[in-house]
Amino acid sequence: MKPIGVGVIGTGFMGKAHSIAYSASASVFGTGLRPKLEIVCDLSPDRASQRATDLGFSRHTDKWQDVVNDPKVELISVCTPNNTHSEIAISALKTGKHVWCEKPMSSSMEDSQKMAEASLNTNAKTIIGYNYTKNPIVLHAKEIIEKGTIGRVSGFFCRYDVDNEADGKKPWSWRMSKKLSGTGANGDILSHVISIAHYLTNSKISRVVGDVSIIHNKRIDPKNIGKTKEVDNDDMVSALIHFENGVHGHIGASRVSWGKKCGLTWEVHGTEGTICYNQERLNEIKLFTRQKDSSTDGFRTILSGPDHPFYSSFLPNGGHGLGFMDVKICELQGLLNSIENDEPTWPSFTDGLAIEKVMESVDISAINKKWISIKY
Ligand code: NAD
């Protein structure tokens, strides 16, 4: 196996997830490139030092430029808040480094466009962290759809609801600011929904009519006791959608839905059957295919197992199940394979920009209360 030097910028939830994936991928897959944890970056020297120890990096810094300019680093993870993605990713691409950037691409369409342009001026690989399209059982669902098992796709329906911000007493954070995060539930979780829509249907969303709302307009200011801060991006978002291939459907997301821990659910309806998925049961899909005898038909449950892509590298038998971090390892392995074999990634920055365009169109459509056609 050939080593590849990696650097991680930002060490919260996602920085940790990327670092775990880098540490585990060679052990799980045993082929291809072996990531070497070179340098990690966070905002203060103390935090960076602690995270280097926790996550197993050789060096640490509180300046992301040190990671970008490090000659031992070939692949960089951008795991910082959305408004920093563009500057870091573009600088990394200019030095020829591969970039694994967390979603959404950035906090504005202008920045995302610049990122996509920068990616076209280099041979380096880019990928956006839309991990729900990397789950082995979801890859299998796509194979089922492409084989025509459910006939011609007739409808796509997907929601992503969570209760992360359902408590109105929870303090304000960067995610609730248009300036720091861009849109709210739209960029944070509807973006995942759109990635799944494009992935499973092999087609892009071409028309939308959207709707957004803010449920908790003010939140406790965590830095000023007794004061509040304004929430200026969406808590809930919904849209009716049309795809380029003629399929219709609807999508939605909410960050204020009590009880929904990871309420990502999708359904693909076809002329001969239906497939359903629920991220809270991420090791199974439900498949219905029309039978001659309708008295015994019904949905059947397919559990993830060694017949599905990537799974057997983790476990020899079905039924044990994979978790979120395993899916992140699958995502990384796809990227490493693309780097090693000089093959395209999905979703690259170009594909990510298409997802951003849908998000922006849903937002604009909600403000103007009319259908919008999306130009790619
Ligand atoms: P977080 O708040 O847990 O972590 C962000 C980290 O970045 C913190 O450690 C912070 O100190 C550090 N940071 C901030 N600015 C920095 C800078 N300029 N230089 C270096 N470090 C800096 O956030 P998170 O949940 O890990 O989210 C990070 C990104 O990952 C966001 O873009 C988010 O949308 C995305 N995300 C993706 C998923 C997914 O399922 N793919 C899940 C959660 C978050």
Coordinates of all heavy atoms in Angstrom, one line a residue, residues 9-16 18 41-44 47 51 61-64 78-85 88 102-104 129-132 160 174-175 181 187-188 192 324 328 331, ligand 1:
I9 N -8.7 20.0 8.8 CA -8.9 21.4 9.4 C -10.3 21.4 10.0 O -11.3 21.2 9.3 CB -8.8 22.4 8.2 CG1 -7.4 22.3 7.5 CG2 -8.9 23.8 8.8 CD1 -7.2 23.1 6.3
G10 N -10.3 21.7 11.3 CA -11.6 21.7 12.1 C -11.7 20.3 12.7 O -11.6 19.3 12.0
T11 N -11.9 20.3 14.0 CA -11.8 19.0 14.7 C -13.1 18.8 15.6 O -13.0 18.2 16.7 CB -10.6 18.9 15.6 OG1 -10.7 19.9 16.6 CG2 -9.3 19.1 14.8
G12 N -14.2 19.3 15.1 CA -15.5 19.0 15.8 C -16.0 17.6 15.4 O -15.2 16.7 15.1
F13 N -17.3 17.5 15.3 CA -17.9 16.2 14.9 C -17.3 15.7 13.6 O -16.9 14.5 13.5 CB -19.5 16.5 14.8 CG -20.3 15.4 14.2 CD1 -19.9 14.0 14.3 CD2 -21.5 15.6 13.6 CE1 -20.7 13.0 13.8 CE2 -22.3 14.6 13.1 CZ -21.9 13.3 13.2
M14 N -17.3 16.5 12.6 CA -16.8 16.0 11.3 C -15.3 15.9 11.2 O -14.9 14.9 10.6 CB -17.3 17.0 10.2 CG -18.7 16.7 9.7 SD -18.9 15.0 9.1 CE -20.0 14.3 10.4
G15 N -14.6 16.7 11.9 CA -13.1 16.5 11.9 C -12.8 15.2 12.5 O -11.9 14.5 12.0
K16 N -13.5 14.9 13.5 CA -13.3 13.6 14.2 C -13.7 12.4 13.3 O -12.9 11.5 13.1 CB -14.1 13.5 15.5 CG -13.9 12.3 16.3 CD -14.7 12.4 17.6 CE -14.5 11.1 18.4 NZ -15.1 11.2 19.8
H18 N -13.8 12.4 10.0 CA -12.8 12.2 8.9 C -11.5 11.5 9.4 O -10.9 10.7 8.8 CB -12.4 13.6 8.3 CG -13.5 14.1 7.4 ND1 -13.2 14.7 6.2 CD2 -14.8 14.2 7.5 CE1 -14.3 15.1 5.6 NE2 -15.3 14.8 6.4
C41 N -5.6 20.9 12.4 CA -5.7 22.3 12.7 C -7.0 22.6 13.4 O -8.1 22.1 13.0 CB -5.7 23.1 11.4 SG -6.0 24.9 11.6
D42 N -6.9 23.5 14.4 CA -8.1 24.0 15.0 C -7.8 25.4 15.5 O -6.7 25.9 15.4 CB -8.8 23.2 16.1 CG -10.3 23.3 16.2 OD1 -10.8 24.4 16.4 OD2 -11.0 22.3 15.9
L43 N -8.8 26.1 16.0 CA -8.7 27.6 16.2 C -7.7 28.0 17.3 O -7.1 29.1 17.2 CB -10.1 28.2 16.6 CG -11.0 28.4 15.4 CD1 -12.3 29.0 15.9 CD2 -10.4 29.4 14.4
S44 N -7.4 27.2 18.3 CA -6.4 27.6 19.3 C -5.3 26.6 19.3 O -5.6 25.4 19.1 CB -7.1 27.8 20.6 OG -7.3 26.5 21.2
R47 N -6.3 23.7 21.8 CA -7.3 22.7 21.2 C -6.7 21.9 20.1 O -6.8 20.7 20.1 CB -8.5 23.5 20.7 CG -9.6 22.5 20.1 CD -10.9 23.1 19.8 NE -11.7 22.3 19.0 CZ -12.5 21.3 19.5 NH1 -12.7 21.1 20.7 NH2 -13.2 20.6 18.6
R51 N -6.3 17.9 20.2 CA -7.0 17.0 19.2 C -5.9 16.2 18.4 O -6.2 15.1 18.0 CB -7.8 17.9 18.2 CG -8.9 18.7 18.8 CD -9.8 17.9 19.6 NE -10.8 17.3 18.8 CZ -11.4 16.1 19.1 NH1 -11.1 15.4 20.2 NH2 -12.4 15.6 18.3
T61 N -1.5 22.7 14.4 CA -1.4 24.1 14.1 C -2.7 24.8 14.4 O -3.8 24.1 14.4 CB -1.0 24.4 12.7 OG1 -1.0 25.8 12.5 CG2 -2.0 23.8 11.7
D62 N -2.7 26.1 14.6 CA -4.0 26.9 14.7 C -4.2 27.7 13.5 O -5.1 28.6 13.4 CB -4.0 27.7 16.0 CG -2.9 28.7 16.1 OD1 -1.9 28.6 15.3 OD2 -3.0 29.7 16.9
K63 N -3.4 27.5 12.4 CA -3.5 28.3 11.2 C -3.7 27.3 10.0 O -2.8 26.5 9.7 CB -2.3 29.1 10.9 CG -2.1 30.2 11.9 CD -0.8 31.0 11.6 CE -0.5 31.8 12.9 NZ -0.3 31.0 14.1
W64 N -4.9 27.4 9.4 CA -5.2 26.4 8.3 C -4.2 26.5 7.2 O -3.9 25.5 6.5 CB -6.6 26.5 7.8 CG -7.0 27.9 7.2 CD1 -7.7 28.8 7.9 CD2 -6.8 28.3 5.9 NE1 -7.9 29.9 7.0 CE2 -7.4 29.6 5.8 CE3 -6.2 27.8 4.8 CZ2 -7.3 30.4 4.6 CZ3 -6.1 28.6 3.6 CH2 -6.7 29.8 3.6
V78 N -11.7 19.5 4.9 CA -12.2 20.8 5.3 C -13.5 20.6 6.2 O -14.5 20.2 5.6 CB -12.5 21.7 4.1 CG1 -13.0 23.1 4.6 CG2 -11.3 21.9 3.2
C79 N -13.3 20.7 7.5 CA -14.4 20.3 8.4 C -14.7 21.5 9.4 O -15.0 21.3 10.5 CB -13.9 19.1 9.2 SG -13.6 17.7 8.2
T80 N -14.6 22.7 8.8 CA -14.9 23.9 9.6 C -16.3 24.4 9.2 O -16.9 23.9 8.3 CB -13.8 24.9 9.1 OG1 -13.8 24.9 7.7 CG2 -12.5 24.6 9.7
P81 N -16.7 25.5 9.9 CA -18.1 26.0 9.6 C -18.1 26.5 8.1 O -17.1 26.8 7.5 CB -18.2 27.2 10.5 CG -17.4 26.8 11.7 CD -16.2 26.1 11.2
N82 N -19.3 26.5 7.6 CA -19.6 26.6 6.1 C -18.9 27.8 5.5 O -18.5 27.8 4.4 CB -21.1 26.6 5.8 CG -21.8 25.5 6.5 OD1 -21.2 24.5 6.9 ND2 -23.1 25.6 6.6
N83 N -18.9 28.9 6.2 CA -18.4 30.2 5.6 C -16.9 30.2 5.4 O -16.3 31.1 4.8 CB -18.8 31.4 6.5 CG -18.2 31.4 7.8 OD1 -17.9 30.4 8.4 ND2 -17.9 32.6 8.4
T84 N -16.2 29.2 5.9 CA -14.7 29.1 5.7 C -14.3 28.1 4.6 O -13.2 28.1 4.3 CB -14.0 28.7 7.1 OG1 -14.5 27.3 7.4 CG2 -14.4 29.6 8.2
H85 N -15.3 27.3 4.2 CA -14.9 26.2 3.2 C -14.2 26.7 2.0 O -13.3 26.2 1.5 CB -16.2 25.5 2.8 CG -16.8 24.6 3.9 ND1 -17.9 23.9 3.7 CD2 -16.5 24.5 5.2 CE1 -18.3 23.3 4.8 NE2 -17.4 23.6 5.8
I88 N -10.5 28.1 2.2 CA -9.6 27.0 2.5 C -9.5 26.0 1.3 O -8.4 25.7 0.9 CB -10.0 26.2 3.8 CG1 -10.1 27.1 5.0 CG2 -9.1 25.0 4.0 CD1 -10.6 26.5 6.3
E102 N -16.5 19.2 3.7 CA -17.8 18.9 4.2 C -18.9 19.7 3.5 O -18.7 20.8 3.0 CB -17.8 19.1 5.8 CG -17.6 17.8 6.5 CD -18.4 16.6 6.0 OE1 -19.5 16.8 5.6 OE2 -17.8 15.5 5.9
K103 N -20.1 19.2 3.6 CA -21.3 19.9 3.1 C -21.8 20.9 4.0 O -21.6 20.7 5.2 CB -22.4 18.9 2.7 CG -22.8 17.8 3.7 CD -23.2 18.2 5.0 CE -24.4 19.1 5.2 NZ -24.7 19.5 6.6
P104 N -22.6 21.9 3.6 CA -22.8 22.2 2.2 C -21.5 22.8 1.7 O -20.6 23.1 2.5 CB -23.9 23.3 2.3 CG -23.8 23.9 3.7 CD -23.3 22.8 4.6
G129 N -18.9 16.1 1.3 CA -19.3 15.1 2.2 C -20.8 14.6 2.3 O -21.3 14.6 3.4
Y130 N -21.3 14.3 1.2 CA -22.7 13.8 1.2 C -22.8 12.3 1.5 O -23.0 11.5 0.6 CB -23.4 14.2 -0.1 CG -23.7 15.7 -0.2 CD1 -23.1 16.5 -1.1 CD2 -24.6 16.3 0.7 CE1 -23.3 17.9 -1.1 CE2 -24.9 17.6 0.7 CZ -24.2 18.4 -0.2 OH -24.5 19.8 -0.2
N131 N -22.5 12.0 2.7 CA -22.3 10.6 3.1 C -23.5 9.7 3.0 O -23.3 8.5 2.9 CB -21.7 10.5 4.5 CG -22.1 11.6 5.4 OD1 -21.3 12.5 5.8 ND2 -23.4 11.6 5.9
Y132 N -24.7 10.2 3.0 CA -25.8 9.3 2.9 C -26.0 8.6 1.6 O -26.7 7.6 1.5 CB -27.1 10.0 3.3 CG -27.1 10.6 4.7 CD1 -27.0 12.0 4.9 CD2 -27.0 9.7 5.8 CE1 -26.9 12.5 6.2 CE2 -26.9 10.3 7.1 CZ -26.8 11.6 7.3 OH -26.7 12.1 8.6
Y160 N -35.8 15.1 5.6 CA -34.7 15.0 6.6 C -35.1 15.9 7.8 O -35.0 17.1 7.7 CB -33.3 15.4 6.1 CG -32.2 14.9 6.9 CD1 -30.9 15.0 6.4 CD2 -32.3 14.4 8.2 CE1 -29.8 14.6 7.1 CE2 -31.2 14.0 8.9 CZ -29.9 14.1 8.4 OH -28.9 13.7 9.2
W174 N -23.6 29.3 15.2 CA -23.3 29.8 13.9 C -24.2 29.2 12.8 O -24.5 29.8 11.8 CB -21.8 29.5 13.5 CG -21.4 28.0 13.5 CD1 -20.9 27.3 14.5 CD2 -21.6 27.1 12.4 NE1 -20.7 26.0 14.1 CE2 -21.1 25.8 12.8 CE3 -22.0 27.2 11.1 CZ2 -21.0 24.7 12.0 CZ3 -22.0 26.1 10.3 CH2 -21.5 24.8 10.7
R175 N -24.9 28.1 13.1 CA -25.8 27.4 12.2 C -27.0 28.3 11.9 O -27.7 28.1 11.0 CB -26.2 26.0 12.6 CG -25.0 25.0 12.5 CD -25.6 23.6 12.6 NE -24.6 22.7 12.1 CZ -23.6 22.2 12.8 NH1 -23.4 22.6 14.0 NH2 -22.8 21.3 12.2
S181 N -23.6 30.6 8.1 CA -23.9 29.3 7.7 C -24.6 29.3 6.3 O -24.7 28.2 5.6 CB -24.9 28.7 8.7 OG -25.4 27.5 8.3
G187 N -29.5 24.4 3.9 CA -28.1 24.0 3.6 C -27.6 22.9 4.5 O -26.8 22.0 4.1
D188 N -28.1 22.9 5.7 CA -27.6 21.9 6.7 C -28.1 20.5 6.4 O -27.3 19.5 6.3 CB -28.0 22.3 8.1 CG -27.2 21.6 9.1 OD1 -26.0 21.2 8.8 OD2 -27.6 21.4 10.3
H192 N -28.5 17.3 2.0 CA -28.3 15.9 1.9 C -29.4 15.3 1.1 O -29.2 14.4 0.3 CB -28.4 15.3 3.3 CG -27.1 15.3 4.1 ND1 -25.9 14.7 3.7 CD2 -26.8 16.0 5.3 CE1 -25.0 14.9 4.6 NE2 -25.4 15.7 5.5
F324 N -22.7 5.0 11.3 CA -22.4 6.3 10.6 C -20.9 6.4 10.2 O -20.6 6.7 9.1 CB -22.8 7.4 11.5 CG -22.6 8.8 10.9 CD1 -23.6 9.4 10.2 CD2 -21.4 9.4 11.0 CE1 -23.4 10.7 9.6 CE2 -21.2 10.7 10.4 CZ -22.2 11.3 9.7
K328 N -18.8 6.7 6.6 CA -17.7 7.8 6.4 C -16.5 7.1 5.8 O -15.8 7.6 5.0 CB -17.5 8.5 7.7 CG -17.3 10.0 7.6 CD -18.5 10.8 7.0 CE -18.0 12.2 6.6 NZ -18.9 12.9 5.7
E331 N -17.1 6.3 2.3 CA -17.0 7.6 1.5 C -15.5 7.8 1.2 O -15.1 8.1 0.0 CB -17.6 8.7 2.3 CG -17.6 10.1 1.6 CD -18.1 11.2 2.5 OE1 -18.6 10.9 3.6 OE2 -17.9 12.3 2.1
Ligands
NAD1 P1 -18.3 21.7 14.9 O1 -18.8 23.0 15.4 O2 -18.5 20.5 15.7 O3 -16.8 21.8 14.5 C1 -16.2 22.8 13.8 C2 -14.7 22.9 14.2 O4 -14.0 23.8 13.3 C3 -14.5 23.4 15.6 O5 -13.6 22.5 16.2 C4 -14.0 24.8 15.4 O6 -13.1 25.2 16.5 C5 -13.2 24.6 14.2 N1 -13.0 25.9 13.4 C6 -13.8 26.9 13.2 N2 -13.2 27.8 12.4 C7 -12.0 27.3 12.1 C8 -10.9 27.8 11.3 N3 -11.0 29.0 10.7 N4 -9.7 27.1 11.3 C9 -9.6 25.9 11.9 N5 -10.6 25.4 12.7 C10 -11.8 26.1 12.7 O7 -19.0 21.5 13.5 P2 -19.3 20.2 12.7 O8 -20.6 19.6 13.1 O9 -18.1 19.3 12.7 O10 -19.5 20.8 11.2 C11 -18.4 21.2 10.4 C12 -18.8 21.0 8.9 O11 -19.3 19.7 8.7 C13 -20.0 22.0 8.6 O12 -19.8 22.4 7.2 C14 -21.2 21.1 8.7 O13 -22.2 21.5 7.8 C15 -20.6 19.7 8.2 N6 -21.3 18.5 8.8 C16 -21.5 17.5 8.0 C17 -22.2 16.4 8.4 C18 -22.4 15.2 7.5 O14 -23.3 14.3 7.8 N7 -21.7 15.1 6.4 C19 -22.6 16.3 9.8 C20 -22.4 17.4 10.6 C21 -21.7 18.5 10.1

